[in-house]
Amino acid sequence: MIASKKIALGILVSGSGTNLQAIIDAASREKINAEVKIVISDVLEAKALERARKHNTPAIVIERKSFESKKAFEQEIADTLKKHGVELVCLAGFMRIIGRTILDAFPNQIINIHPALLPSFPGLDAQKQAFDYGVKVSGATVHFVDEKTDHGPIICQVAVDVHEDDTVETLKARILKQEHRIYPEAIQLIAEGRVSINGRTVHISDQLPVISKSTTGY
Ligand code: GRF
């Protein structure tokens, strides 16, 4: 399917890594024009590391406690990403706030996925926040990362209905399924060079069917 040069990805993780898996799968099936060059976890036991290694993708642990300052910790992450030629950094369940050192090393080159329709329910336990609030529709958002948590310009979103018999867990699972679809799609849009940022607004040029337009009904 895909001809041109692949975009080099660096994925930051802390946990189970199902989004990492979705990206690895999409890349290896050539559904996206991307290659995962390095996976970095700040948690030694993260299952995401196993997933990467199983796929022969370089995966390393960089723990915050090994460094005296956040700056030094982030410098090590940035240097590692650069060493592997990373062009786009994807946060996939990375449980730390990205600071200036990484942001400056990768301007407008860091994206994140959040399990809610931002700007609603940023921060931790977004699905539970939405569920407890009683929303009828929640979803997921892929966005550029800036200095504030879950705040940067939005690349794409998908809406997910809340069902009458949902629990937080069932809602979470339904949202996660959509995350696995839209995160690779967002990466592909960037790989194709179709994404530009104007203030808070992300423009997608020449919309092809690859973009997720889906709204409710999952
Ligand atoms: C996902 O719900 C993602 O939206 C959020 O953290 C979770 C990570 O899950 N940022 P996984 O590690 O990809 O399974």
Side-chain angles (χ1 to χ4, degrees):
M1 161 198 169
I2 296 157
S4 57
K5 183 184 160 289
K6 293 180 175 183
I7 192 168
L9 305 179
I11 318 277
L12 304 191
V13 296
S14 302
S16 100
T18 65
N19 277 287
L20 166 68
Q21 187 73 57
I23 295 167
I24 287 176
D25 290 347
S28 62
R29 291 176 193 147
E30 302 207 333
K31 289 191 169 159
I32 59 174
N33 206 2
E35 188 178 351
V36 181
K37 293 287 192 185
I38 180 76
V39 173
I40 301 175
S41 173
D42 66 326
V43 175
L44 185 61
E45 309 79 21
K47 187 164 178 224
L49 289 165
E50 274 172 49
R51 295 180 188 273
R53 288 173 184 146
K54 209 167 158 188
H55 198 266
N56 295 323
T57 299
I60 64 163
V61 178
I62 301 179
E63 290 179 294
R64 172 65 183 87
K65 67 178 183 201
S66 308
F67 298 87
E68 270 185 10
S69 63
K70 174 167 176 163
K71 187 169 172 19
F73 168 65
E74 288 208 335
Q75 194 61 58
E76 180 68 19
I77 293 177
D79 290 349
T80 306
L81 292 166
K82 291 282 182 196
K83 201 172 79 191
H84 286 83
V86 167
E87 299 163 295
L88 180 67
V89 181
C90 304
L91 309 184
F94 186 63
M95 299 303 286
R96 286 181 185 276
I97 293 167
I98 299 293
R100 248 348 326 152
T101 306
I102 298 178
L103 286 169
D104 289 346
F106 291 92
N108 292 337
Q109 289 171 286
I110 310 173
I111 62 175
N112 179 45
I113 186 152
H114 182 72
L117 290 176
L118 292 172
S120 293
F121 312 117
L124 293 176
D125 293 325
Q127 306 94 326
K128 182 172 187 314
Q129 289 185 55
F131 185 83
D132 290 349
Y133 197 90
V135 299
K136 300 299 184 194
V137 178
S138 191
T141 303
V142 182
H143 64 93
F144 283 101
V145 173
D146 65 11
E147 59 288 340
K148 294 189 195 151
T149 306
D150 302 325
H151 174 268
I154 291 169
I155 303 165
C156 62
Q157 295 185 296
V158 60
V160 173
D161 285 341
V162 180
H163 296 169
E164 202 53 42
D165 59 353
D166 261 335
T167 61
V168 176
E169 290 312 312
T170 58
L171 178 62
K172 222 174 180 173
R174 201 168 329 105
I175 292 173
L176 193 60
K177 203 168 160 198
Q178 296 307 316
E179 292 183 40
H180 297 162
R181 192 170 64 80
I182 66 165
Y183 212 4
E185 286 184 0
I187 292 167
Q188 179 61 10
L189 289 173
I190 293 170
E192 288 174 352
R194 291 167 57 191
V195 173
S196 59
I197 309 173
N198 181 8
R200 271 219 57 88
T201 305
V202 170
H203 293 286
I204 315 276
S205 69
D206 183 29
Q207 297 227 357
L208 297 172
V210 69
I211 178 76
S212 176
K213 289 220 181 70
S214 185
T215 53
T216 57
Y218 296 103

